[in-house]
Amino acid sequence: TVRIASGRKRARQEVQLNAANASLGSQYRSAVKGVQKAVVGGDKGKAAELFKAAQSVIDSVADKGIFHKNKAARHKSRLAAKVKALALAA
């Protein structure tokens, strides 16, 4: 157990921050999966719409430092390529 008051406060804060970060990570995964399912389903309109929303979520998570901005850029790039390939195939 932590004896110092600032340490106890820090421990309380970490619980809240960890929950917030986990929630953001979950939002990110859901957004990416939504786009991927639309691409696999062949629905180019829905895929483009979900990709637009996913970009916002991915940028938000990267801005908050949940993961690195280069990882965000990589994921956006790969999703964009899949959506574009779907649009070109049609």
Side-chain angles (χ1 to χ4, degrees):
T1 60
V2 181
R3 291 170 185 253
I4 297 171
S6 61
R8 289 196 302 267
K9 179 178 178 180
R10 194 74 197 133
R12 288 194 308 270
Q13 289 175 326
E14 287 299 329
V15 171
Q16 290 177 317
L17 284 168
N18 193 10
N21 289 349
S23 173
L24 287 167
S26 177
Q27 280 180 14
Y28 159 77
R29 285 190 299 277
S30 296
V32 170
K33 280 181 188 173
V35 176
Q36 289 174 338
K37 282 182 182 175
V39 168
V40 170
D43 189 347
K44 64 179 180 180
K46 188 174 181 184
E49 182 183 317
L50 288 172
F51 175 64
K52 198 168 187 178
Q55 280 183 303
S56 172
V57 172
I58 293 169
D59 284 334
S60 170
V61 171
D63 287 343
K64 291 182 172 105
I66 308 305
F67 52 62
H68 198 275
K69 61 183 172 52
N70 289 3
K71 176 176 176 170
R74 181 174 68 242
H75 283 269
K76 284 195 302 185
S77 173
R78 287 179 183 169
L79 282 176
K82 287 179 182 177
V83 172
K84 186 176 180 181
L86 181 65
L88 291 175

XYZ file of all heavy atoms in Angstrom:
662
model
N 0.840 -1.195 0.000
C 0.000 0.000 0.000
C 0.871 1.239 0.000
O 1.954 1.253 0.579
C -0.927 0.033 1.227
O -0.130 0.028 2.388
C -1.884 -1.143 1.236
N 0.347 2.274 -0.633
C 1.093 3.528 -0.743
C 0.811 4.366 0.496
O -0.339 4.537 0.888
C 0.671 4.296 -2.018
C 1.455 5.575 -2.147
C 0.850 3.426 -3.246
N 1.861 4.884 1.121
C 1.698 5.663 2.337
C 1.629 7.163 2.068
O 0.982 7.897 2.797
C 2.871 5.400 3.291
C 2.853 4.008 3.871
C 4.152 3.725 4.591
N 4.172 2.357 5.050
C 4.028 2.009 6.331
N 3.863 2.924 7.243
N 4.057 0.745 6.673
N 2.312 7.598 1.036
C 2.394 9.036 0.784
C 1.113 9.494 0.077
O 0.637 8.834 -0.851
C 3.641 9.353 -0.058
C 4.892 8.977 0.735
C 3.662 10.809 -0.475
C 6.168 9.027 -0.046
N 0.582 10.617 0.507
C -0.698 11.117 -0.013
C -0.659 11.318 -1.522
O -1.603 10.971 -2.238
C -1.078 12.415 0.686
N 0.438 11.883 -2.012
C 0.530 12.124 -3.453
C 0.548 10.806 -4.224
O 0.027 10.719 -5.337
C 1.776 12.953 -3.786
O 2.946 12.262 -3.387
N 1.121 9.778 -3.616
C 1.133 8.456 -4.245
C -0.249 7.841 -4.287
O -0.632 7.210 -5.268
N -1.006 8.029 -3.212
C -2.384 7.523 -3.175
C -3.236 8.231 -4.229
O -4.023 7.614 -4.941
C -2.998 7.720 -1.781
C -2.417 6.810 -0.720
C -3.292 6.755 0.514
N -3.506 8.076 1.109
C -2.762 8.604 2.075
N -1.739 7.929 2.570
N -3.043 9.801 2.563
N -3.045 9.540 -4.343
C -3.793 10.308 -5.341
C -3.427 9.836 -6.747
O -4.285 9.663 -7.601
C -3.494 11.801 -5.199
C -4.223 12.653 -6.214
C -3.947 14.127 -6.031
C -4.646 14.950 -7.085
N -4.385 16.388 -6.933
N -2.137 9.629 -6.957
C -1.673 9.170 -8.267
C -2.302 7.829 -8.624
O -2.700 7.586 -9.765
C -0.140 9.058 -8.258
C 0.453 8.929 -9.620
C 0.410 10.268 -10.337
N 0.603 10.034 -11.748
C -0.130 10.566 -12.713
N -1.095 11.402 -12.430
N 0.100 10.291 -13.959
N -2.393 6.945 -7.639
C -2.991 5.630 -7.866
C -4.468 5.773 -8.259
O -4.955 5.071 -9.146
C -2.855 4.763 -6.627
N -5.173 6.696 -7.594
C -6.582 6.938 -7.937
C -6.703 7.474 -9.357
O -7.581 7.063 -10.121
C -7.217 7.951 -6.966
C -7.468 7.435 -5.581
C -8.395 8.346 -4.795
N -7.997 9.740 -4.786
C -7.202 10.325 -3.893
N -6.675 9.595 -2.912
N -6.922 11.608 -3.958
N -5.815 8.400 -9.704
C -5.857 8.988 -11.039
C -5.566 7.941 -12.115
O -6.185 7.943 -13.182
C -4.844 10.129 -11.156
C -5.232 11.358 -10.377
C -4.148 12.421 -10.420
O -2.965 12.101 -10.445
N -4.557 13.671 -10.416
N -4.636 7.047 -11.833
C -4.254 6.026 -12.818
C -5.429 5.126 -13.162
O -5.571 4.702 -14.299
C -3.075 5.178 -12.314
C -1.748 5.905 -12.335
C -1.318 6.348 -13.721
O -1.650 5.675 -14.720
O -0.636 7.377 -13.803
N -6.280 4.834 -12.173
C -7.446 3.991 -12.426
C -8.353 4.668 -13.450
O -8.811 4.042 -14.410
C -8.217 3.715 -11.109
C -9.550 3.036 -11.396
C -7.368 2.866 -10.184
N -8.597 5.971 -13.251
C -9.463 6.708 -14.172
C -8.819 6.843 -15.553
O -9.484 6.663 -16.573
C -9.758 8.100 -13.621
C -10.668 8.076 -12.403
C -10.884 9.456 -11.827
O -9.935 10.236 -11.720
N -12.102 9.746 -11.436
N -7.532 7.164 -15.582
C -6.843 7.332 -16.864
C -6.797 6.017 -17.640
O -6.984 6.001 -18.855
C -5.416 7.850 -16.641
C -5.308 9.320 -16.287
C -3.894 9.654 -15.810
C -5.672 10.179 -17.474
N -6.562 4.932 -16.919
C -6.499 3.628 -17.563
C -7.850 3.281 -18.179
O -7.924 2.774 -19.310
C -6.090 2.568 -16.534
C -5.689 1.263 -17.177
O -5.535 1.186 -18.393
N -5.545 0.232 -16.372
N -8.930 3.584 -17.463
C -10.269 3.316 -17.987
C -10.549 4.167 -19.224
O -11.115 3.687 -20.209
C -11.313 3.593 -16.911
N -10.134 5.437 -19.189
C -10.352 6.333 -20.331
C -9.566 5.854 -21.544
O -10.081 5.841 -22.670
C -9.948 7.757 -19.965
N -8.320 5.458 -21.316
C -7.478 4.982 -22.412
C -8.030 3.688 -23.007
O -8.017 3.497 -24.224
C -6.044 4.776 -21.947
C -5.339 6.081 -21.667
O -5.834 7.151 -22.001
N -4.183 6.002 -21.036
N -8.524 2.804 -22.144
C -9.088 1.538 -22.613
C -10.319 1.810 -23.471
O -10.536 1.165 -24.501
C -9.438 0.646 -21.433
N -11.120 2.773 -23.062
C -12.327 3.131 -23.804
C -11.963 3.667 -25.186
O -12.588 3.311 -26.194
C -13.115 4.181 -23.033
O -14.188 4.656 -23.789
N -10.951 4.524 -25.241
C -10.514 5.079 -26.524
C -9.967 3.987 -27.432
O -10.218 3.979 -28.637
C -9.459 6.162 -26.304
C -9.986 7.477 -25.751
C -8.832 8.352 -25.276
C -10.804 8.199 -26.785
N -9.223 3.061 -26.844
C -8.696 1.943 -27.625
C -9.818 1.105 -28.210
O -9.754 0.653 -29.352
N -10.864 0.918 -27.434
C -12.021 0.154 -27.883
C -12.737 0.879 -29.026
O -13.131 0.259 -30.025
C -12.981 -0.052 -26.718
O -14.137 -0.717 -27.140
N -12.890 2.202 -28.902
C -13.506 2.995 -29.968
C -12.708 2.861 -31.258
O -13.272 2.714 -32.351
C -13.542 4.470 -29.588
C -14.643 4.868 -28.654
C -14.597 6.353 -28.342
O -13.906 7.111 -29.017
N -15.333 6.758 -27.322
N -11.397 2.910 -31.118
C -10.502 2.791 -32.275
C -10.699 1.442 -32.973
O -10.893 1.378 -34.186
C -9.050 2.960 -31.817
C -8.049 2.376 -32.763
C -7.715 3.028 -33.944
C -7.466 1.144 -32.517
C -6.822 2.476 -34.836
C -6.573 0.589 -33.395
C -6.255 1.258 -34.560
O -5.384 0.697 -35.444
N -10.670 0.368 -32.186
C -10.809 -0.969 -32.772
C -12.170 -1.137 -33.445
O -12.271 -1.723 -34.528
C -10.598 -2.049 -31.701
C -9.140 -2.233 -31.323
C -8.931 -3.462 -30.443
N -9.665 -3.375 -29.183
C -9.232 -2.726 -28.094
N -8.071 -2.115 -28.113
N -9.966 -2.699 -27.001
N -13.218 -0.614 -32.821
C -14.555 -0.709 -33.391
C -14.644 0.036 -34.719
O -15.253 -0.448 -35.675
C -15.588 -0.137 -32.420
O -15.631 -0.901 -31.245
N -14.038 1.217 -34.765
C -14.070 2.024 -35.994
C -13.360 1.297 -37.129
O -13.864 1.226 -38.262
C -13.426 3.382 -35.743
N -12.194 0.730 -36.836
C -11.416 0.030 -37.855
C -12.154 -1.218 -38.338
O -12.242 -1.481 -39.537
C -10.007 -0.337 -37.318
C -9.281 -1.269 -38.268
C -9.194 0.929 -37.095
N -12.721 -1.967 -37.385
C -13.450 -3.182 -37.757
C -14.662 -2.862 -38.629
O -14.994 -3.611 -39.546
C -13.913 -3.938 -36.501
C -12.834 -4.770 -35.869
C -13.378 -5.509 -34.660
C -12.265 -6.192 -33.889
N -12.738 -6.781 -32.629
N -15.319 -1.748 -38.319
C -16.482 -1.344 -39.111
C -16.115 -1.123 -40.563
O -16.815 -1.588 -41.480
N -15.002 -0.429 -40.785
C -14.546 -0.171 -42.154
C -14.176 -1.486 -42.835
O -14.558 -1.739 -43.983
C -13.343 0.798 -42.166
C -12.815 0.983 -43.586
C -13.727 2.138 -41.570
N -13.444 -2.331 -42.127
C -13.002 -3.593 -42.707
C -14.183 -4.488 -43.084
O -14.186 -5.123 -44.146
C -12.063 -4.326 -41.755
C -10.710 -3.646 -41.639
C -9.807 -4.274 -40.594
O -10.271 -4.934 -39.676
N -8.507 -4.032 -40.719
N -15.218 -4.521 -42.232
C -16.393 -5.338 -42.544
C -17.127 -4.800 -43.773
O -17.604 -5.567 -44.605
C -17.343 -5.371 -41.349
C -16.898 -6.308 -40.252
C -17.892 -6.349 -39.111
C -17.390 -7.255 -38.003
N -18.284 -7.224 -36.822
N -17.212 -3.470 -43.890
C -17.874 -2.870 -45.052
C -17.099 -3.193 -46.330
O -17.688 -3.453 -47.383
C -17.993 -1.362 -44.868
N -15.761 -3.181 -46.240
C -14.922 -3.505 -47.406
C -15.122 -4.963 -47.810
O -15.306 -5.270 -48.996
C -13.431 -3.209 -47.106
C -12.537 -3.798 -48.182
C -13.195 -1.711 -47.001
N -15.099 -5.858 -46.829
C -15.293 -7.282 -47.122
C -16.688 -7.526 -47.696
O -16.863 -8.326 -48.607
C -15.070 -8.141 -45.842
C -15.505 -9.578 -46.069
C -13.603 -8.089 -45.432
N -17.669 -6.779 -47.174
C -19.036 -6.917 -47.673
C -19.241 -6.309 -49.048
O -20.253 -6.546 -49.690
N -18.285 -5.492 -49.489
C -18.364 -4.893 -50.819
C -19.247 -3.657 -50.902
O -19.600 -3.222 -51.989
N -19.585 -3.081 -49.757
C -20.442 -1.889 -49.728
C -19.566 -0.641 -49.748
O -19.128 -0.156 -48.713
C -21.308 -1.924 -48.461
C -22.371 -0.841 -48.447
O -22.284 0.076 -49.281
O -23.281 -0.924 -47.606
N -19.304 -0.121 -50.962
C -18.334 0.982 -51.078
C -18.835 2.283 -50.461
O -18.051 3.024 -49.875
C -17.912 1.194 -52.527
C -19.005 1.636 -53.461
C -18.454 1.825 -54.866
C -19.555 2.274 -55.804
N -19.108 2.474 -57.157
N -20.133 2.549 -50.548
C -20.683 3.769 -49.956
C -20.542 3.777 -48.446
O -20.085 4.754 -47.844
N -20.921 2.654 -47.848
C -20.829 2.526 -46.384
C -19.371 2.537 -45.939
O -19.021 3.123 -44.912
C -21.521 1.245 -45.932
C -21.642 1.115 -44.431
C -22.465 -0.090 -44.050
C -22.590 -0.191 -42.546
N -23.302 -1.393 -42.119
N -18.503 1.873 -46.714
C -17.079 1.817 -46.367
C -16.476 3.219 -46.367
O -15.729 3.577 -45.453
C -16.323 0.923 -47.351
N -16.812 4.017 -47.366
C -16.284 5.382 -47.448
C -16.782 6.229 -46.283
O -16.030 7.005 -45.680
C -16.682 6.023 -48.770
N -18.055 6.054 -45.949
C -18.650 6.810 -44.844
C -18.007 6.424 -43.507
O -17.639 7.285 -42.710
C -20.153 6.501 -44.808
C -20.934 7.244 -43.753
C -22.396 6.812 -43.746
O -22.984 6.658 -44.836
O -22.928 6.616 -42.648
N -17.860 5.121 -43.282
C -17.247 4.647 -42.037
C -15.773 5.026 -41.964
O -15.251 5.307 -40.885
C -17.405 3.130 -41.911
C -18.814 2.640 -41.603
C -18.889 1.127 -41.707
C -19.249 3.090 -40.217
N -15.096 5.038 -43.122
C -13.679 5.420 -43.143
C -13.512 6.867 -42.706
O -12.589 7.204 -41.966
C -13.073 5.212 -44.531
C -11.665 5.706 -44.642
C -10.652 5.129 -43.898
C -11.347 6.762 -45.472
C -9.343 5.592 -43.989
C -10.047 7.236 -45.568
C -9.044 6.644 -44.823
N -14.416 7.723 -43.166
C -14.349 9.133 -42.791
C -14.468 9.293 -41.279
O -13.729 10.057 -40.652
C -15.473 9.905 -43.500
C -15.281 11.381 -43.548
C -16.262 12.027 -44.513
C -15.927 13.495 -44.680
N -16.811 14.147 -45.636
N -15.398 8.551 -40.676
C -15.578 8.591 -39.226
C -14.373 7.975 -38.515
O -13.920 8.482 -37.474
C -16.851 7.852 -38.841
N -13.837 6.896 -39.076
C -12.699 6.208 -38.462
C -11.464 7.095 -38.440
O -10.687 7.063 -37.479
C -12.399 4.910 -39.207
N -11.269 7.895 -39.484
C -10.115 8.806 -39.520
C -10.119 9.725 -38.308
O -9.081 9.939 -37.685
C -10.153 9.661 -40.790
C -9.651 8.970 -42.019
C -9.661 9.899 -43.219
O -10.693 10.444 -43.579
N -8.523 10.072 -43.835
N -11.274 10.246 -37.990
C -11.415 11.147 -36.856
C -11.051 10.442 -35.554
O -10.318 10.980 -34.720
C -12.848 11.672 -36.794
O -13.053 12.399 -35.623
N -11.551 9.223 -35.396
C -11.276 8.449 -34.179
C -9.786 8.133 -34.078
O -9.174 8.295 -33.011
C -12.104 7.144 -34.167
C -11.677 6.248 -33.018
C -13.584 7.459 -34.077
N -9.192 7.714 -35.185
C -7.771 7.356 -35.198
C -6.908 8.569 -34.845
O -5.981 8.473 -34.033
C -7.360 6.765 -36.565
C -8.053 5.413 -36.780
C -5.852 6.602 -36.661
C -7.933 4.860 -38.184
N -7.217 9.718 -35.438
C -6.459 10.934 -35.138
C -6.610 11.339 -33.676
O -5.648 11.747 -33.028
C -6.915 12.086 -36.027
C -6.379 11.969 -37.445
O -5.318 11.334 -37.618
O -7.018 12.501 -38.367
N -7.815 11.219 -33.164
C -8.091 11.582 -31.777
C -7.267 10.727 -30.818
O -6.662 11.237 -29.869
C -9.579 11.403 -31.489
O -9.843 11.524 -30.123
N -7.242 9.431 -31.077
C -6.500 8.508 -30.216
C -4.993 8.809 -30.290
O -4.297 8.793 -29.274
C -6.805 7.049 -30.616
C -5.903 6.080 -29.901
C -8.252 6.727 -30.285
N -4.501 9.128 -31.480
C -3.080 9.447 -31.631
C -2.743 10.768 -30.942
O -1.688 10.895 -30.304
C -2.714 9.509 -33.103
N -3.629 11.761 -31.060
C -3.390 13.056 -30.419
C -3.298 12.924 -28.909
O -2.560 13.656 -28.253
C -4.519 14.046 -30.753
C -4.451 14.544 -32.186
O -3.379 14.394 -32.808
O -5.458 15.077 -32.682
N -4.060 11.986 -28.354
C -4.067 11.798 -26.906
C -2.914 10.912 -26.438
O -2.765 10.660 -25.246
C -5.404 11.211 -26.466
C -6.536 12.213 -26.637
C -7.854 11.668 -26.171
C -8.886 12.764 -26.194
N -9.829 12.659 -27.294
N -2.120 10.418 -27.378
C -0.931 9.648 -27.009
C -1.210 8.199 -26.664
O -0.368 7.544 -26.061
N -2.382 7.684 -27.044
C -2.682 6.284 -26.767
C -1.761 5.407 -27.618
O -1.283 4.377 -27.174
C -4.158 5.938 -27.054
C -5.103 6.914 -26.353
C -4.481 4.511 -26.656
C -4.926 7.045 -24.871
N -1.534 5.844 -28.854
C -0.460 5.248 -29.634
C 0.162 6.308 -30.535
O -0.330 7.434 -30.627
C -0.893 4.001 -30.415
C -2.105 4.148 -31.283
C -2.125 5.050 -32.337
C -3.209 3.360 -31.076
C -3.226 5.157 -33.157
C -4.315 3.470 -31.892
C -4.324 4.368 -32.928
N 1.260 5.963 -31.159
C 2.101 6.924 -31.880
C 1.413 7.438 -33.137
O 0.637 6.720 -33.771
C 3.416 6.231 -32.241
C 4.518 7.188 -32.584
N 4.667 7.702 -33.838
C 5.499 7.723 -31.821
C 5.723 8.518 -33.846
N 6.234 8.546 -32.626
N 1.714 8.675 -33.502
C 1.102 9.283 -34.692
C 1.459 8.531 -35.965
O 0.656 8.487 -36.903
C 1.475 10.760 -34.804
C 2.941 11.051 -34.948
C 3.197 12.558 -34.965
C 4.649 12.929 -34.904
N 5.522 12.294 -35.873
N 2.637 7.921 -36.008
C 3.009 7.153 -37.202
C 2.155 5.889 -37.332
O 1.815 5.471 -38.443
C 4.491 6.764 -37.162
C 5.405 7.953 -37.366
O 4.934 9.080 -37.482
N 6.698 7.724 -37.371
N 1.807 5.301 -36.197
C 0.924 4.131 -36.228
C -0.439 4.550 -36.757
O -1.050 3.849 -37.568
C 0.776 3.519 -34.838
C -0.198 2.362 -34.799
C -0.282 1.698 -33.453
C -1.356 0.616 -33.483
N -1.346 -0.224 -32.299
N -0.910 5.709 -36.317
C -2.197 6.218 -36.783
C -2.155 6.435 -38.295
O -3.083 6.039 -39.014
C -2.540 7.522 -36.069
N -1.088 7.053 -38.769
C -0.951 7.327 -40.199
C -0.913 6.023 -40.992
O -1.527 5.909 -42.064
C 0.315 8.139 -40.457
N -0.216 5.029 -40.461
C -0.106 3.732 -41.136
C -1.480 3.065 -41.262
O -1.851 2.571 -42.326
C 0.860 2.830 -40.362
C 1.068 1.477 -40.987
C 2.137 0.673 -40.266
N 1.704 0.279 -38.934
C 2.292 0.650 -37.793
N 3.339 1.444 -37.803
N 1.842 0.225 -36.631
N -2.238 3.086 -40.170
C -3.556 2.461 -40.199
C -4.516 3.200 -41.123
O -5.281 2.569 -41.860
C -4.124 2.363 -38.783
C -3.517 1.257 -37.986
N -4.038 -0.005 -37.951
C -2.405 1.210 -37.220
C -3.286 -0.783 -37.193
N -2.279 -0.063 -36.732
N -4.456 4.529 -41.098
C -5.319 5.309 -41.999
C -4.955 5.022 -43.447
O -5.831 4.863 -44.300
C -5.180 6.809 -41.714
C -5.896 7.249 -40.467
C -6.058 8.751 -40.394
C -4.733 9.477 -40.437
N -4.873 10.920 -40.258
N -3.673 4.929 -43.725
C -3.215 4.677 -45.082
C -3.699 3.316 -45.581
O -4.190 3.184 -46.710
C -1.682 4.732 -45.120
O -1.203 4.342 -46.383
N -3.590 2.302 -44.738
C -3.989 0.953 -45.137
C -5.501 0.866 -45.343
O -5.971 0.225 -46.295
C -3.530 -0.063 -44.099
C -2.028 -0.275 -44.153
C -1.568 -1.266 -43.121
N -0.102 -1.393 -43.162
C 0.621 -2.020 -42.256
N 0.032 -2.584 -41.221
N 1.929 -2.088 -42.360
N -6.254 1.516 -44.455
C -7.708 1.522 -44.620
C -8.110 2.264 -45.889
O -8.986 1.818 -46.635
C -8.380 2.171 -43.410
C -8.497 1.325 -42.143
C -9.100 2.149 -41.014
C -9.326 0.084 -42.383
N -7.446 3.403 -46.140
C -7.751 4.191 -47.333
C -7.486 3.377 -48.597
O -8.270 3.421 -49.552
C -6.922 5.468 -47.342
N -6.399 2.613 -48.587
C -6.057 1.791 -49.750
C -7.141 0.736 -49.995
O -7.514 0.470 -51.141
C -4.704 1.123 -49.537
N -7.650 0.138 -48.911
C -8.695 -0.881 -49.059
C -9.983 -0.269 -49.600
O -10.640 -0.842 -50.475
C -8.961 -1.560 -47.712
C -7.863 -2.502 -47.281
C -8.154 -3.123 -45.932
C -7.001 -4.025 -45.506
N -7.204 -4.594 -44.169
N -10.340 0.903 -49.074
C -11.560 1.584 -49.536
C -11.412 1.993 -50.995
O -12.341 1.832 -51.794
C -11.883 2.800 -48.641
C -13.018 3.624 -49.213
C -12.218 2.342 -47.225
N -10.227 2.490 -51.354
C -9.983 2.919 -52.728
C -10.026 1.731 -53.689
O -10.598 1.815 -54.776
C -8.630 3.622 -52.820
C -8.349 4.226 -54.176
C -7.036 4.986 -54.176
C -6.763 5.591 -55.536
N -5.486 6.305 -55.581
N -9.430 0.601 -53.265
C -9.423 -0.589 -54.108
C -10.855 -1.068 -54.339
O -11.209 -1.515 -55.436
C -8.594 -1.687 -53.458
N -11.688 -0.957 -53.307
C -13.090 -1.355 -53.426
C -13.822 -0.470 -54.423
O -14.586 -0.951 -55.248
C -13.767 -1.279 -52.042
C -15.227 -1.672 -51.960
C -15.392 -3.155 -52.280
C -15.767 -1.375 -50.572
N -13.552 0.831 -54.346
C -14.198 1.791 -55.259
C -13.756 1.557 -56.708
O -14.568 1.645 -57.636
C -13.884 3.206 -54.830
N -12.476 1.246 -56.898
C -11.949 1.026 -58.252
C -12.458 -0.300 -58.826
O -12.637 -0.410 -60.049
C -10.425 1.042 -58.240
C -9.763 2.390 -57.959
C -8.254 2.245 -57.858
C -10.118 3.399 -59.038
N -12.666 -1.279 -57.969
C -13.106 -2.597 -58.441
C -14.534 -2.536 -58.987
O -14.909 -3.301 -59.859
C -13.018 -3.610 -57.317
N -15.307 -1.599 -58.448
C -16.732 -1.526 -58.842
C -16.914 -0.953 -60.247
O -16.069 -0.364 -60.832
C -17.494 -0.662 -57.862
